[in-house]
Amino acid sequence: MRRRARLAPIALALLTGAATSGAEISAAPPSSVGTRAAAPAARPSSALAENDLDRLLAKLDAEEKALRAELDSIGPALDLTRRRMVARGRAYYRHIRAGFLPVGGGFDALVDHAARVERTRLALERDLAREAELTRRSAELADRLTHLGAERAPLEVHREAMNRARVALAQEEERRAAFGRAFETSVRPDYLAIYGADTGPAELDRRAGFRSLLGRLPFPIAGRAEVRKVSRRGAGGPGVELTALDGAPVRSVAAGRVAFADTYADYGLTVIVDHGERHYSVYASLGAVDVRAGDQLPGGARVGKVASGPDGAKLYFELRRGADVIDPGPWFGM
């Protein structure tokens, strides 16, 4: 009896025509859904530590992964909700169209019909609210992902710059190490020759080695060149600077093995040739290099060319015994 008394007003509404064909359904306002507050945009700093940068990027990665997983789950849920809405909407329409038909089954049949109509209506309103909620949340997630991309971009640029700086530092350290290693070992060349002024290459006495060139070492640049003694920072001894024509070829003063061919600190583009018995010649401030480390060179072989500069085309040249710079003047007969 209580059930009948509670549903009697609904049945009366049906009888008086409140439920008519084509009745409009107003969706209940969607319930509030908690959304994580957007984190403030991270701004990279030149002083930002690499570990802090990695942690910040990892945090953004984790948040992006969670947001994308949630966004991916919304699609199927939204599709299911809309299919359910269509089915319930059709059922509700059929119940409304039924109108006074249940009256023939008595008051109990009418009350049951009214209950089904009300249940269908409430379920349909829940579906409408759910659809609105999922649509709103999907838009929020898409917006947050866009903001995450904007936050990540400068951090990625900052990290890439740090990686490039690290690689450049490692390369510079490797060049420094290679430059130092170039003077650590020395072998006797299988062939040793020099170019005289007019007589062409002449093989040296192999037992005498590079030391036999003392006082008659050929200049690394053919033809006229202005020569002056200079000291290069960090060398610890004198070298010579030769001023010549721009692009003039630079040649090895004697046979040997290329121990180093790369850019090095204050020396610029540099070639080091090992002439055996711990004697080395150094050709620095080159405009181009024509040899590679490990190449075996005869005397007079081209190693590169002179580079131009604000004060003209100049070549810096050193002789070393081991890692120690020795005065090249006596070797050239100066």
Side-chain angles (χ1 to χ4, degrees):
M1 292 298 294
R2 290 181 179 178
R3 179 171 175 268
R4 292 179 179 178
R6 187 169 57 249
L7 294 175
I10 300 175
L12 183 60
L14 289 172
L15 291 173
T16 57
T20 59
S21 173
E24 294 181 355
I25 302 172
S26 298
S31 59
S32 170
V33 180
T35 305
R36 283 177 300 212
R43 300 188 179 278
S45 167
S46 58
L48 187 62
E50 184 174 359
N51 290 340
D52 294 337
L53 180 62
D54 289 340
R55 280 195 295 269
L56 185 54
L57 283 169
K59 182 179 179 181
L60 293 178
D61 286 341
E63 183 179 357
E64 181 180 2
K65 183 178 179 181
L67 292 176
R68 290 195 180 281
E70 184 179 355
L71 186 60
D72 291 341
S73 69
I74 286 179
L78 190 58
D79 183 61
L80 177 62
T81 300
R82 286 170 175 168
R83 287 198 310 252
R84 193 164 53 220
M85 284 171 54
V86 171
R88 285 175 174 164
R90 289 172 178 171
Y92 184 73
Y93 181 75
R94 286 195 302 270
H95 293 330
I96 295 296
R97 289 294 300 269
F100 295 100
L101 291 179
V103 174
F107 186 74
D108 288 342
L110 181 60
V111 169
D112 289 339
H113 176 67
R116 285 193 297 271
V117 171
E118 181 65 10
R119 285 197 301 269
T120 304
R121 184 186 68 80
L122 292 175
L124 190 54
E125 287 184 351
R126 288 195 298 270
D127 288 340
L128 287 168
R130 178 62 174 165
E131 181 196 30
E133 173 190 326
L134 292 174
T135 302
R136 178 183 59 80
R137 182 58 180 163
S138 178
E140 288 177 352
L141 293 174
D143 184 62
R144 179 57 186 154
L145 286 170
T146 300
H147 281 81
L148 277 179
E151 292 173 23
R152 172 191 295 279
L155 295 176
E156 291 285 2
V157 171
H158 190 62
R159 183 169 66 176
E160 182 62 25
M162 294 176 71
N163 288 339
R164 287 197 300 269
R166 186 191 308 110
V167 170
L169 181 61
Q171 291 175 341
E172 181 61 25
E173 290 299 323
E174 175 56 28
R175 282 193 289 267
R176 288 180 179 276
F179 189 87
R181 288 194 303 269
F183 303 109
E184 291 177 359
T185 60
S186 184
V187 296
R188 191 180 200 61
D190 296 330
Y191 173 79
L192 192 63
I194 63 169
Y195 283 85
D198 299 315
T199 59
E203 189 173 353
L204 298 176
D205 183 348
R206 294 187 180 183
R207 290 173 299 178
F210 186 80
R211 284 175 292 186
S212 65
L213 292 173
L214 182 62
R216 56 194 185 95
L217 189 71
F219 284 103
I221 298 176
R224 184 180 181 278
E226 297 180 6
V227 182
R228 67 186 184 94
K229 290 185 179 182
V230 296
S231 292
R232 185 62 60 97
R233 186 174 67 177
V240 293
E241 186 177 76
L242 297 95
T243 302
L245 296 176
D246 183 15
V250 178
R251 303 186 180 278
S252 175
V253 294
R257 176 184 59 85
V258 177
F260 181 88
D262 205 341
T263 301
Y264 176 72
D266 297 324
Y267 282 64
L269 199 54
T270 303
V271 171
I272 300 174
V273 180
D274 174 10
H275 300 292
E277 298 178 335
R278 294 176 54 78
H279 284 90
Y280 304 87
S281 58
V282 180
Y283 313 80
S285 301
L286 295 170
V289 168
D290 299 329
V291 295
R292 294 180 298 179
D295 288 352
Q296 295 288 342
L297 305 178
R302 176 169 172 154
V303 299
K305 67 179 182 179
V306 177
S308 60
D311 300 327
K314 299 179 184 297
L315 169 73
Y316 176 73
F317 177 84
E318 280 181 1
L319 283 179
R320 295 200 181 200
R321 183 179 294 114
D324 299 326
V325 180
I326 58 178
D327 186 357
W331 291 81
F332 290 131
M334 295 169 57

